[in-house]
Amino acid sequence: MSRVSAEFAGIAFINEGAALNIARLASLSVRERYLPSLLAGKMIGATAVTEPSGGSDVRSIRTKAVKEGNRYVLSGQEVWISNGHMADFVIALARTENGLSLFLVD
């Protein structure tokens, strides 16, 4: 793909990363909901890890996720969300009480 279009290859690469995170880390119900559409090219995933203060250095992530009842509330600022302009969902990295965690955000 990159021989024809570096931009298209980048979109596919980010989408593949989102699919791999879901395949490796998500519950069965989430995998069943997202993976078929991702693999068929009907859904696009994005990744959010770049912040104003630390760039893409994940050790300096300041975005927080605080548990409220049975859900998490994320707060922070991203300056670049790869595939964000076309995504159906975002895989976001945030700090929790247990360290860094990934969150799927529709």
Side-chain angles (χ1 to χ4, degrees), residues 4-71:
V4 176
S5 169
E7 180 180 3
F8 184 70
I11 292 167
F13 175 73
I14 298 300
N15 202 49
E16 175 188 23
L20 287 171
N21 278 320
I22 291 171
R24 290 179 185 154
L25 304 171
S27 67
L28 177 60
S29 64
V30 170
R31 291 193 312 261
E32 288 175 343
R33 178 177 173 196
Y34 288 89
L35 288 178
S37 294
L38 277 166
L39 297 175
K42 296 178 181 177
M43 188 176 268
I44 300 290
T47 304
V49 297
T50 307
E51 297 183 340
S53 61
S56 295
D57 177 11
V58 296
R59 293 176 295 176
S60 66
I61 290 288
R62 292 186 180 179
T63 297
K64 293 181 183 176
V66 177
K67 192 161 190 174
E68 291 187 4
N70 63 350
R71 66 187 186 126

Side-chain angles (χ1 to χ4, degrees), residues 1 6 11 14 30 42-43 50 52 55 60 69-70 79 83 90 96-98 101 105:
M1 275 190 277
I11 292 167
I14 298 300
V30 170
K42 296 178 181 177
M43 188 176 268
T50 307
S60 66
N70 63 350
V79 294
N83 284 358
V90 175
T96 66
E97 63 280 355
N98 298 319
S101 297
V105 181

